[in-house]
Amino acid sequence: MRIGQPGDSTAVDLDRIDLFTPSLYAAGDPHTLWKALRERAPVHRQLLPDGRAFWSVTRYHDVNEVLRDHTRFTSAKGTLLSILGTDDPAGGTMMAASDPPVHTALREPMGKMLSHRALRDRAPEIRAVVRRMTAPLLDGGVWDIAASAAAFPMAFTGTLMGLPERHWRRLTKLTTMAVAPSDAEFQEGGGESTLSVAHHELFAYFSDQVRARSGRPRPAADQEDLIDFLMRMEAGGRRLRHEEIVYNCYSLLLGANVTTPHAIAAMVLALIEHPDQYRRLLADPALIPGAVEEGLRWSSPANHFMRYAVRDLELGGRQIAAGDALVTWLGSANRDEEAFTDPYRFDVARRPNRHVAFGFGPHYCIGAPLARLSLGLLFEELTSLIEEFTVAGPIEHLESNFTAGIKHLPLTAVLRPGSAQRIERTVAATGPAPVLEPA
Ligand code: HEM
């Protein structure tokens, strides 16, 4: 999705706004539409040609209100526009598609497994992955950082979940297919077929993983991976059922794979477009954690999350009927002039920066500690290795109404003194990183 200054919002015809069609996010400019909605219709109803409808919620405070209050806005019927109007089969079973108390019972133990404390020791592993990713820069060649970034989360979530490396490429592609089924580059058959292949293959894959582990002796607690943990953990006083484990594995993998890469690509592009901001990071690495937060606000990789109204209610001056779908546009909330000073300025030292890229309320991203850790390490490594980046080819955006993504960002870079030797040593020790190729 294009990220920059919005066009003329006063010229937008509200009756013609279409935030559903994925091609908008590949070739259009949602930021201009979101700005127009925030100004003139902050809670706006869109009717689709097939009769389905949803409310778009675009202001920061309304987005927070919807995400915060599960008693009025439920997640249990599904949270993604791609399944608008169909009850999510994982509703009430998968953490992301459930409400308290089921949600709380699932979330508490899983949160411990993904906490800062639990992840602390993984830093060296993630650093090595970053250096392996940068190997194409050694010969002064073009590096498609977006394609490499697509494989990045798999390289540590795969280990965390105990998934064999030979499966990573396919799993990466399947997760992209699940959120961008109409993007021709990732299609297998038409759009519907792509979505169905992605869902079936991912569920079958995790089902097999769980079955294979059932026949093995249980590992010691300090040896177990995330799937072992899900098989052992209790929620509401009982062990999880097979399908509950499978759905939550799916959700964890999807959560990591379809978001983190796009924060990377968009942030690198922002730093290329704002070289003064990159120079600030080079001069003062202590700015990196704040820069990551600004990168998250700027990119808002998860474009939206949806809820359904539990009862008749009012929001932003509009009457919402029980059962209506409401879509919170996180990218819009993160540019709301009432919540952020000069929101279209990319500022690595922005403070305060209470962005909603990880959501808000009970479903606040459970992977945020892992995402922050890996993005922080990635930008520490990139700034220590690279003096300057230049775009070296056409930038291509993902066709998805869920993931605000860049799928290709070819660049060349000037390495800092000593970087080539550091990258070479890592590649010699570990081999090149798995990159996304047709699988
Ligand atoms: C830059 C990276 C990421 C972004 C922008 C992001 C964004 C989000 C957002 C906005 C939500 C809230 C969903 C809602 O309100 O319905 C969420 C939830 C979630 N995320 Fe992330 N995420 C990221 C990384 C990750 C990672 C690395 C993982 C896995 C380890 C993950 C797994 C999940 C899960 C399982 C949920 C559901 C939590 C719940 O329902 O309580 N995410 N994420």
Side-chain angles (χ1 to χ4, degrees), residues 67 75 79 95-98 103 107 110 114 156-157 160 226 248 251-257 259-260 263 296 300-302 305-307 330 356-360 362-368 370-371 375:
L67 295 180
S75 292
T79 62
M95 175 173 57
S98 60
H103 173 262
R107 173 139 181 152
M110 280 166 74
L114 288 166
F156 44 89
T157 316
L160 201 65
L226 208 48
N248 284 294
S251 170
L252 284 166
L253 188 71
L254 198 76
N257 274 11
T259 51
T260 323
L296 286 162
S300 303
F305 274 99
M306 188 170 73
R307 301 289 189 261
L330 304 179
V356 285
F358 288 128
F360 187 73
H363 291 275
Y364 183 84
C365 179
I366 198 167
L370 179 57
L375 291 171

Side-chain angles (χ1 to χ4, degrees), residues 168-183:
W168 293 358
R169 266 192 199 144
R170 180 67 184 157
L171 291 170
T172 302
K173 181 170 182 209
L174 288 170
T175 46
T176 307
M177 286 161 63
V179 294
S182 62
D183 190 312

Side-chain angles (χ1 to χ4, degrees), residues 154 158-159 161-165 168 171 205-206 209 213 227 253:
M154 204 60 246
T159 317
M161 297 182 88
L163 309 175
E165 188 163 341
W168 293 358
L171 291 170
Y205 178 80
F206 283 117
Q209 286 288 323
R213 281 147 210 267
I227 303 183
L253 188 71

